[in-house]
Amino acid sequence: MKYIKLFVSVALTSVIATSCIREEIPNSTVSDKQVAAMSDTQLSMLYGISSYMVAVNSWGSSGYYLNDWGYPCQMYYREVNGEDFPVYKSTYDYWTYHENGTYASSYTVYTWYYYYKLIKNCNNLIGAIDENTTNEESKRYLGSALAFRAMAYLDLARSFEFKPTGYASIDSKAEDDGIWGLTVPIVTEKTTNAETINNPRVDFCTMYRFIMTDLEKAQKLLDGYNPSDVSLPGNDCVNGLMARVWMEVGSRLEENSEYIKDYTTKLAESNKKNDGYTTLNVTSAKDCYEKAIVCADNAMQGHTPITESQWHDAKTGFNTANQAWLWRCRIGGKEQEPVY
């Protein structure tokens, strides 16, 4: 028994000593950086972005659940404030303040908050993936995150850029304040906390170039690839967003708006900036519209219009993704299993 006890004691000591030598850093834990580099983690982060598209009460302290339900809510805001969604009476529903234009600052803050939180989620994933990665799955996650971010900035730019209102007092103040043509601040995965303290709004030329930079990267990363789960953007969505950007730029070149003199010159000057953003090599509205047509055609590759029976289906029409859908926001129900 003494020999057995001695043997066991020596054996255990050897194991402990060996383990201490080999495990200077415990292999049962991983760093935040290692976690972020895992494909499963990256996919979860991507689905987190997708889920935020339909987040309820994302503002937290708003308390207005019926006025705070994610990206579709922002779409509704734009429709109500635009020309396409008639408001017969603004006192019969839960949208009174927004529809009659009171408490406008509060709703503007919500829009600002919602999109920048969406951008923050995108930045977290973009910053976790090496742009030069050889991992095909990670490339797709990165491409989709860039598409989400580009979409967010395109919406923000169009929502907050000050354009002529037709009211002399307001337009005159905008002229005095020098805010014509300014969109919103750009915050990326590389923006430091110190830089956010002094991060002014950028002009629309710079913003379009920044958005197109994200889309060009996404296009390469997602080349020929579209996820089967259309709640995640693929190359078709990227091309669709590119078409929208070219339409925006083209309309500027076509109008050459009075409040922004010589847009062609401003675009040329912006293209010369050493800011790392892509150049928009166009000189006319025709150039832009031709590019938009190509991008729109590419977006439709692999898709066909819905059929008459699909259109008239009272149960699934406009609710169930089919061959015509490129991108969706899914509210409720069980999501598909990861498809990347």
Side-chain angles (χ1 to χ4, degrees):
M1 290 296 296
K2 291 181 180 179
Y3 288 119
I4 294 173
K5 289 180 180 178
L6 178 60
F7 174 77
V8 172
S9 177
V10 171
L12 287 174
T13 303
S14 299
V15 171
I16 293 170
T18 304
S19 297
C20 290
I21 293 173
R22 291 180 180 177
E23 297 184 11
E24 294 178 3
I25 300 177
N27 59 17
S28 60
T29 60
V30 292
S31 66
D32 291 343
K33 186 175 181 180
Q34 288 172 315
V35 171
M38 295 177 178
S39 295
D40 288 346
T41 300
Q42 294 167 3
L43 180 59
S44 296
M45 294 172 73
L46 181 58
Y47 267 107
I49 298 172
S50 177
S51 296
Y52 185 70
M53 293 287 283
V54 291
V56 175
N57 200 35
S58 62
W59 199 359
S61 61
S62 67
Y64 299 108
Y65 299 100
L66 295 172
N67 300 126
D68 182 354
W69 36 278
Y71 188 77
C73 183
Q74 297 299 326
M75 296 172 69
Y76 190 94
Y77 281 177
R78 289 194 292 272
E79 295 293 342
V80 168
N81 288 307
E83 299 177 344
D84 299 325
F85 200 107
V87 177
Y88 171 70
K89 192 175 182 181
S90 63
T91 59
Y92 74 100
D93 57 22
Y94 291 100
W95 295 79
T96 299
Y97 298 135
H98 204 72
E99 291 170 343
N100 63 24
T102 57
Y103 296 99
S105 60
S106 297
Y107 289 101
T108 301
V109 169
Y110 165 48
T111 295
W112 186 277
Y113 177 90
Y114 175 81
Y115 276 103
Y116 272 106
K117 190 170 181 180
L118 173 60
I119 289 168
K120 173 62 175 175
N121 292 341
C122 295
N123 286 342
N124 288 342
L125 178 52
I126 294 168
I129 302 175
D130 182 357
E131 186 178 334
N132 299 312
T133 182
T134 57
N135 185 315
E136 291 299 319
E137 289 184 341
S138 293
K139 285 182 180 179
R140 293 167 183 169
Y141 306 153
L142 177 57
S144 289
L146 288 166
F148 270 117
R149 187 169 76 176
M151 178 206 67
Y153 273 112
L154 183 57
D155 281 356
L156 274 173
R158 290 186 291 190
S159 297
F160 287 96
E161 180 189 347
F162 199 97
K163 296 181 179 180
T165 66
Y167 291 91
S169 59
I170 297 176
D171 292 347
S172 177
K173 188 176 188 307
E175 183 75 29
D176 294 340
D177 292 343
I179 63 173
W180 292 117
L182 296 182
T183 59
V184 297
I186 294 176
V187 180
T188 73
E189 75 283 2
K190 297 179 181 179
T191 305
T192 65
N193 289 333
E195 289 171 336
T196 61
I197 297 174
N198 182 23
N199 189 17
R201 298 162 66 182
V202 300
D203 63 275
F204 60 87
C205 291
T206 301
M207 178 58 74
Y208 291 152
R209 290 173 49 243
F210 166 72
I211 293 171
M212 192 60 79
T213 301
D214 271 3
L215 292 175
E216 287 179 351
K217 290 179 181 178
Q219 190 177 50
K220 292 178 181 178
L221 292 163
L222 295 169
D223 184 29
Y225 184 82
N226 295 317
S228 59
D229 182 353
V230 290
S231 66
L232 304 176
N235 203 37
D236 49 0
C237 299
V238 171
N239 278 284
L241 289 169
M242 281 184 163
R244 290 187 178 187
V245 174
W246 287 124
M247 291 295 290
E248 288 283 329
V249 178
S251 65
R252 291 299 181 88
L253 287 170
E254 186 174 48
E255 296 173 0
N256 199 12
S257 303
E258 285 299 318
Y259 73 100
I260 300 204
K261 306 295 183 181
D262 197 356
Y263 176 66
T264 306
T265 300
K266 288 186 177 295
L267 182 59
E269 291 174 351
S270 182
N271 282 334
K272 294 178 181 178
K273 291 181 179 179
N274 186 26
D275 51 19
Y277 304 150
T278 191
T279 57
L280 302 181
N281 296 315
V282 290
T283 57
S284 68
K286 183 174 181 292
D287 291 341
C288 296
Y289 296 150
E290 288 177 349
K291 289 179 179 292
I293 290 172
V294 172
C295 291
D297 285 340
N298 290 337
M300 291 186 288
Q301 294 299 314
H303 299 278
T304 57
I306 61 174
T307 64
E308 183 177 357
S309 61
Q310 288 174 321
W311 179 278
H312 291 288
D313 193 310
K315 184 176 181 180
T316 63
F318 303 100
N319 294 318
T320 303
N322 54 45
Q323 78 285 349
W325 288 41
L326 274 69
W327 204 349
R328 74 171 179 187
C329 287
R330 183 184 178 93
I331 301 176
K334 184 180 179 180
E335 284 287 358
Q336 297 177 358
E337 292 300 317
V339 292
Y340 269 101

